[in-house]
mmCIF file of all heavy atoms in Angstrom:
data_model
loop_
_atom_site.group_PDB
_atom_site.id
_atom_site.type_symbol
_atom_site.label_atom_id
_atom_site.label_comp_id
_atom_site.label_asym_id
_atom_site.label_seq_id
_atom_site.Cartn_x
_atom_site.Cartn_y
_atom_site.Cartn_z
ATOM 1 N N THR A 1027 -66.571 -58.247 -140.253
ATOM 2 C CA THR A 1027 -67.765 -58.823 -139.809
ATOM 3 C C THR A 1027 -68.935 -58.220 -140.562
ATOM 4 O O THR A 1027 -68.927 -57.080 -140.862
ATOM 5 C CB THR A 1027 -67.888 -58.597 -138.330
ATOM 6 O OG1 THR A 1027 -66.669 -59.109 -137.596
ATOM 7 C CG2 THR A 1027 -69.147 -59.339 -137.727
ATOM 8 N N ARG A 1028 -69.860 -59.292 -140.833
ATOM 9 C CA ARG A 1028 -71.195 -58.755 -141.524
ATOM 10 C C ARG A 1028 -72.322 -59.719 -141.108
ATOM 11 O O ARG A 1028 -72.033 -60.716 -140.611
ATOM 12 C CB ARG A 1028 -71.017 -58.721 -143.029
ATOM 13 C CG ARG A 1028 -70.945 -60.195 -143.670
ATOM 14 C CD ARG A 1028 -71.013 -60.101 -145.180
ATOM 15 N NE ARG A 1028 -70.934 -61.565 -145.663
ATOM 16 C CZ ARG A 1028 -70.932 -61.748 -146.909
ATOM 17 N NH1 ARG A 1028 -70.859 -60.888 -147.874
ATOM 18 N NH2 ARG A 1028 -70.938 -63.163 -147.375
ATOM 19 N N VAL A 1029 -73.465 -59.129 -141.290
ATOM 20 C CA VAL A 1029 -74.652 -60.057 -141.089
ATOM 21 C C VAL A 1029 -75.226 -60.349 -142.432
ATOM 22 O O VAL A 1029 -75.567 -59.521 -143.194
ATOM 23 C CB VAL A 1029 -75.697 -59.249 -140.349
ATOM 24 C CG1 VAL A 1029 -77.056 -60.009 -140.030
ATOM 25 C CG2 VAL A 1029 -75.062 -58.818 -138.979
ATOM 26 N N LEU A 1030 -75.442 -61.665 -142.700
ATOM 27 C CA LEU A 1030 -75.926 -62.269 -143.855
ATOM 28 C C LEU A 1030 -77.024 -63.171 -143.537
ATOM 29 O O LEU A 1030 -76.794 -64.185 -142.801
ATOM 30 C CB LEU A 1030 -74.878 -62.783 -144.737
ATOM 31 C CG LEU A 1030 -75.300 -63.390 -146.186
ATOM 32 C CD1 LEU A 1030 -75.765 -62.224 -147.010
ATOM 33 C CD2 LEU A 1030 -74.040 -64.055 -146.778
ATOM 34 N N GLN A 1031 -78.194 -63.030 -144.091
ATOM 35 C CA GLN A 1031 -79.329 -63.919 -143.868
ATOM 36 C C GLN A 1031 -79.531 -64.038 -142.332
ATOM 37 O O GLN A 1031 -79.872 -65.265 -141.752
ATOM 38 C CB GLN A 1031 -79.168 -65.295 -144.492
ATOM 39 C CG GLN A 1031 -79.016 -65.145 -145.997
ATOM 40 C CD GLN A 1031 -80.465 -64.873 -146.632
ATOM 41 O OE1 GLN A 1031 -81.432 -65.592 -146.292
ATOM 42 N NE2 GLN A 1031 -80.525 -64.117 -147.512
ATOM 43 N N GLY A 1032 -79.402 -62.968 -141.488
ATOM 44 C CA GLY A 1032 -79.584 -62.935 -140.099
ATOM 45 C C GLY A 1032 -78.455 -63.526 -139.216
ATOM 46 O O GLY A 1032 -78.594 -63.714 -138.065
ATOM 47 N N LYS A 1033 -77.387 -64.035 -140.026
ATOM 48 C CA LYS A 1033 -76.267 -64.593 -139.207
ATOM 49 C C LYS A 1033 -75.028 -63.723 -139.337
ATOM 50 O O LYS A 1033 -74.545 -63.220 -140.373
ATOM 51 C CB LYS A 1033 -76.035 -65.913 -140.027
ATOM 52 C CG LYS A 1033 -74.785 -66.767 -139.203
ATOM 53 C CD LYS A 1033 -74.772 -68.027 -139.948
ATOM 54 C CE LYS A 1033 -73.428 -68.710 -139.522
ATOM 55 N NZ LYS A 1033 -73.199 -69.970 -140.234
ATOM 56 N N THR A 1034 -74.332 -63.494 -138.153
ATOM 57 C CA THR A 1034 -73.196 -62.642 -138.122
ATOM 58 C C THR A 1034 -72.052 -63.543 -138.447
ATOM 59 O O THR A 1034 -71.821 -64.669 -137.904
ATOM 60 C CB THR A 1034 -73.007 -62.067 -136.699
ATOM 61 O OG1 THR A 1034 -74.179 -61.102 -136.455
ATOM 62 C CG2 THR A 1034 -71.714 -61.249 -136.752
ATOM 63 N N GLU A 1035 -71.270 -63.247 -139.314
ATOM 64 C CA GLU A 1035 -70.101 -64.002 -139.784
ATOM 65 C C GLU A 1035 -68.917 -63.085 -140.278
ATOM 66 O O GLU A 1035 -69.079 -61.945 -140.554
ATOM 67 C CB GLU A 1035 -70.392 -64.939 -141.026
ATOM 68 C CG GLU A 1035 -70.881 -64.233 -142.139
ATOM 69 C CD GLU A 1035 -71.474 -65.116 -143.294
ATOM 70 O OE1 GLU A 1035 -71.705 -66.311 -142.982
ATOM 71 O OE2 GLU A 1035 -71.604 -64.587 -144.360
ATOM 72 N N LYS A 1036 -67.690 -63.665 -140.345
ATOM 73 C CA LYS A 1036 -66.595 -62.946 -140.841
ATOM 74 C C LYS A 1036 -66.572 -63.144 -142.324
ATOM 75 O O LYS A 1036 -66.754 -64.262 -142.989
ATOM 76 C CB LYS A 1036 -65.326 -63.597 -140.302
ATOM 77 C CG LYS A 1036 -63.935 -62.879 -140.817
ATOM 78 C CD LYS A 1036 -63.082 -62.789 -139.643
ATOM 79 C CE LYS A 1036 -61.785 -61.987 -139.905
ATOM 80 N NZ LYS A 1036 -61.027 -61.716 -140.909
ATOM 81 N N HIS A 1037 -66.384 -62.027 -143.209
ATOM 82 C CA HIS A 1037 -66.280 -61.954 -144.466
ATOM 83 C C HIS A 1037 -64.873 -61.678 -144.923
ATOM 84 O O HIS A 1037 -64.462 -60.645 -144.463
ATOM 85 C CB HIS A 1037 -67.181 -60.976 -145.095
ATOM 86 C CG HIS A 1037 -67.486 -61.053 -146.518
ATOM 87 N ND1 HIS A 1037 -67.248 -59.861 -147.393
ATOM 88 C CD2 HIS A 1037 -67.767 -62.031 -147.459
ATOM 89 C CE1 HIS A 1037 -67.394 -60.218 -148.597
ATOM 90 N NE2 HIS A 1037 -67.748 -61.517 -148.631
ATOM 91 N N ASN A 1038 -64.222 -62.575 -145.381
ATOM 92 C CA ASN A 1038 -62.710 -62.555 -145.732
ATOM 93 C C ASN A 1038 -62.273 -61.909 -147.040
ATOM 94 O O ASN A 1038 -61.235 -61.856 -147.530
ATOM 95 C CB ASN A 1038 -62.142 -63.986 -145.697
ATOM 96 C CG ASN A 1038 -62.208 -64.577 -144.346
ATOM 97 O OD1 ASN A 1038 -62.206 -63.889 -143.326
ATOM 98 N ND2 ASN A 1038 -62.285 -65.870 -144.253
ATOM 99 N N GLY A 1039 -63.254 -61.160 -147.636
ATOM 100 C CA GLY A 1039 -63.004 -60.491 -148.965
ATOM 101 C C GLY A 1039 -63.940 -59.355 -149.324
ATOM 102 O O GLY A 1039 -64.587 -58.869 -148.342
ATOM 103 N N TYR A 1040 -63.925 -58.862 -150.403
ATOM 104 C CA TYR A 1040 -64.735 -57.969 -151.027
ATOM 105 C C TYR A 1040 -65.755 -58.664 -151.972
ATOM 106 O O TYR A 1040 -65.403 -59.475 -152.656
ATOM 107 C CB TYR A 1040 -64.028 -56.914 -151.743
ATOM 108 C CG TYR A 1040 -63.367 -55.777 -151.120
ATOM 109 C CD1 TYR A 1040 -62.574 -54.779 -151.783
ATOM 110 C CD2 TYR A 1040 -63.283 -55.548 -149.766
ATOM 111 C CE1 TYR A 1040 -62.035 -53.694 -151.180
ATOM 112 C CE2 TYR A 1040 -62.720 -54.564 -149.012
ATOM 113 C CZ TYR A 1040 -61.939 -53.615 -149.819
ATOM 114 O OH TYR A 1040 -61.357 -52.671 -149.239
ATOM 115 N N ASP A 1041 -67.000 -58.179 -151.774
ATOM 116 C CA ASP A 1041 -68.027 -58.522 -152.933
ATOM 117 C C ASP A 1041 -68.057 -57.270 -153.773
ATOM 118 O O ASP A 1041 -68.251 -56.275 -153.211
ATOM 119 C CB ASP A 1041 -69.395 -58.951 -152.374
ATOM 120 C CG ASP A 1041 -69.382 -60.306 -151.581
ATOM 121 O OD1 ASP A 1041 -68.382 -61.155 -151.797
ATOM 122 O OD2 ASP A 1041 -70.358 -60.638 -151.000
ATOM 123 N N MET A 1042 -67.988 -57.539 -155.126
ATOM 124 C CA MET A 1042 -67.967 -56.343 -155.945
ATOM 125 C C MET A 1042 -68.489 -56.678 -157.364
ATOM 126 O O MET A 1042 -68.671 -57.892 -157.730
ATOM 127 C CB MET A 1042 -66.535 -55.768 -156.159
ATOM 128 C CG MET A 1042 -65.518 -56.885 -156.723
ATOM 129 S SD MET A 1042 -63.954 -56.301 -156.865
ATOM 130 C CE MET A 1042 -63.418 -55.882 -155.265
ATOM 131 N N VAL A 1043 -68.895 -55.627 -158.036
ATOM 132 C CA VAL A 1043 -69.513 -55.709 -159.373
ATOM 133 C C VAL A 1043 -68.801 -54.805 -160.340
ATOM 134 O O VAL A 1043 -68.427 -53.628 -160.000
ATOM 135 C CB VAL A 1043 -71.049 -55.372 -159.364
ATOM 136 C CG1 VAL A 1043 -71.636 -55.362 -160.744
ATOM 137 C CG2 VAL A 1043 -71.795 -56.245 -158.479
ATOM 138 N N GLY A 1044 -68.208 -55.259 -161.361
ATOM 139 C CA GLY A 1044 -67.727 -54.308 -162.488
ATOM 140 C C GLY A 1044 -68.618 -53.457 -163.129
ATOM 141 O O GLY A 1044 -69.657 -53.965 -163.368
ATOM 142 N N ILE A 1045 -68.334 -52.258 -163.209
ATOM 143 C CA ILE A 1045 -69.187 -51.358 -163.981
ATOM 144 C C ILE A 1045 -68.820 -51.157 -165.367
ATOM 145 O O ILE A 1045 -67.744 -50.612 -165.603
ATOM 146 C CB ILE A 1045 -69.325 -49.943 -163.253
ATOM 147 C CG1 ILE A 1045 -69.816 -50.128 -161.764
ATOM 148 C CG2 ILE A 1045 -70.207 -48.957 -164.000
ATOM 149 C CD1 ILE A 1045 -69.714 -48.857 -160.847
ATOM 150 N N GLY A 1046 -69.489 -51.864 -166.266
ATOM 151 C CA GLY A 1046 -69.177 -51.761 -167.674
ATOM 152 C C GLY A 1046 -68.496 -53.041 -168.153
ATOM 153 O O GLY A 1046 -68.187 -53.274 -169.400
ATOM 154 N N SER A 1047 -68.252 -54.048 -167.330
ATOM 155 C CA SER A 1047 -67.628 -55.271 -167.725
ATOM 156 C C SER A 1047 -67.952 -56.248 -166.751
ATOM 157 O O SER A 1047 -67.769 -56.177 -165.473
ATOM 158 C CB SER A 1047 -66.180 -55.197 -168.014
ATOM 159 O OG SER A 1047 -65.610 -56.450 -168.285
ATOM 160 N N TYR A 1048 -68.274 -57.635 -167.241
ATOM 161 C CA TYR A 1048 -68.380 -58.654 -166.362
ATOM 162 C C TYR A 1048 -67.024 -59.570 -166.457
ATOM 163 O O TYR A 1048 -66.991 -60.584 -165.769
ATOM 164 C CB TYR A 1048 -69.569 -59.611 -166.806
ATOM 165 C CG TYR A 1048 -70.911 -59.003 -166.334
ATOM 166 C CD1 TYR A 1048 -71.034 -57.835 -165.791
ATOM 167 C CD2 TYR A 1048 -72.085 -59.759 -166.614
ATOM 168 C CE1 TYR A 1048 -72.428 -57.407 -165.361
ATOM 169 C CE2 TYR A 1048 -73.282 -59.296 -166.370
ATOM 170 C CZ TYR A 1048 -73.518 -58.149 -165.739
ATOM 171 O OH TYR A 1048 -74.664 -57.669 -165.308
ATOM 172 N N ASN A 1049 -66.141 -59.135 -167.321
ATOM 173 C CA ASN A 1049 -64.918 -59.863 -167.464
ATOM 174 C C ASN A 1049 -64.042 -59.716 -166.331
ATOM 175 O O ASN A 1049 -63.580 -58.500 -165.965
ATOM 176 C CB ASN A 1049 -64.180 -59.530 -168.819
ATOM 177 C CG ASN A 1049 -64.956 -60.005 -169.988
ATOM 178 O OD1 ASN A 1049 -65.516 -61.044 -170.023
ATOM 179 N ND2 ASN A 1049 -65.252 -59.089 -170.962
ATOM 180 N N ILE A 1050 -63.741 -60.880 -165.626
ATOM 181 C CA ILE A 1050 -62.703 -60.774 -164.367
ATOM 182 C C ILE A 1050 -61.418 -60.936 -164.864
ATOM 183 O O ILE A 1050 -61.021 -61.823 -165.635
ATOM 184 C CB ILE A 1050 -63.180 -61.861 -163.425
ATOM 185 C CG1 ILE A 1050 -64.619 -61.616 -162.906
ATOM 186 C CG2 ILE A 1050 -62.176 -61.963 -162.367
ATOM 187 C CD1 ILE A 1050 -65.149 -62.799 -162.080
ATOM 188 N N ILE A 1051 -60.392 -60.051 -164.401
ATOM 189 C CA ILE A 1051 -59.006 -60.161 -164.810
ATOM 190 C C ILE A 1051 -58.219 -60.343 -163.583
ATOM 191 O O ILE A 1051 -58.430 -59.950 -162.471
ATOM 192 C CB ILE A 1051 -58.639 -58.894 -165.567
ATOM 193 C CG1 ILE A 1051 -58.764 -57.667 -164.723
ATOM 194 C CG2 ILE A 1051 -59.366 -58.823 -166.908
ATOM 195 C CD1 ILE A 1051 -58.077 -56.400 -165.385
ATOM 196 N N SER A 1052 -56.980 -60.860 -163.794
ATOM 197 C CA SER A 1052 -56.033 -60.985 -162.662
ATOM 198 C C SER A 1052 -55.468 -59.737 -162.218
ATOM 199 O O SER A 1052 -55.046 -58.858 -163.184
ATOM 200 C CB SER A 1052 -54.867 -61.982 -163.203
ATOM 201 O OG SER A 1052 -54.026 -62.276 -162.090
ATOM 202 N N VAL A 1053 -55.220 -59.596 -160.968
ATOM 203 C CA VAL A 1053 -54.603 -58.237 -160.499
ATOM 204 C C VAL A 1053 -53.118 -58.405 -160.359
ATOM 205 O O VAL A 1053 -52.449 -57.562 -159.873
ATOM 206 C CB VAL A 1053 -55.231 -57.839 -159.156
ATOM 207 C CG1 VAL A 1053 -56.790 -57.423 -159.329
ATOM 208 C CG2 VAL A 1053 -55.097 -58.776 -158.075
ATOM 209 N N CYS A 1054 -52.617 -59.583 -160.660
ATOM 210 C CA CYS A 1054 -51.213 -59.935 -160.403
ATOM 211 C C CYS A 1054 -50.635 -60.954 -161.413
ATOM 212 O O CYS A 1054 -51.356 -61.574 -162.023
ATOM 213 C CB CYS A 1054 -50.912 -60.314 -158.930
ATOM 214 S SG CYS A 1054 -51.681 -62.026 -158.676
ATOM 215 N N ASP A 1055 -49.309 -60.995 -161.616
ATOM 216 C CA ASP A 1055 -48.709 -62.140 -162.299
ATOM 217 C C ASP A 1055 -48.821 -63.327 -161.341
ATOM 218 O O ASP A 1055 -48.554 -63.102 -160.102
ATOM 219 C CB ASP A 1055 -47.303 -61.935 -162.684
ATOM 220 C CG ASP A 1055 -47.095 -60.710 -163.577
ATOM 221 O OD1 ASP A 1055 -48.149 -60.216 -164.264
ATOM 222 O OD2 ASP A 1055 -46.058 -60.143 -163.712
ATOM 223 N N GLY A 1056 -48.867 -64.536 -161.945
ATOM 224 C CA GLY A 1056 -48.812 -65.719 -161.006
ATOM 225 C C GLY A 1056 -49.180 -67.017 -161.765
ATOM 226 O O GLY A 1056 -49.189 -67.023 -163.079
ATOM 227 N N LYS A 1057 -49.488 -68.032 -161.001
ATOM 228 C CA LYS A 1057 -49.826 -69.294 -161.490
ATOM 229 C C LYS A 1057 -51.252 -69.783 -160.997
ATOM 230 O O LYS A 1057 -51.470 -69.584 -159.817
ATOM 231 C CB LYS A 1057 -48.881 -70.369 -161.259
ATOM 232 C CG LYS A 1057 -49.064 -71.671 -161.847
ATOM 233 C CD LYS A 1057 -47.943 -72.617 -161.578
ATOM 234 C CE LYS A 1057 -47.916 -73.727 -162.597
ATOM 235 N NZ LYS A 1057 -46.503 -74.136 -162.916
ATOM 236 N N VAL A 1058 -52.103 -70.264 -161.918
ATOM 237 C CA VAL A 1058 -53.410 -70.740 -161.419
ATOM 238 C C VAL A 1058 -53.237 -72.074 -160.769
ATOM 239 O O VAL A 1058 -52.617 -73.017 -161.366
ATOM 240 C CB VAL A 1058 -54.299 -70.977 -162.594
ATOM 241 C CG1 VAL A 1058 -55.665 -71.567 -162.197
ATOM 242 C CG2 VAL A 1058 -54.593 -69.641 -163.475
#
């Protein structure tokens, strides 16, 4: 649970920023 723009809501993940890279990589093997 978090408050965003004055509204309480469920947040189903993490918001994050890479330090030193903006390139997003897969954390697992799989299929897009």
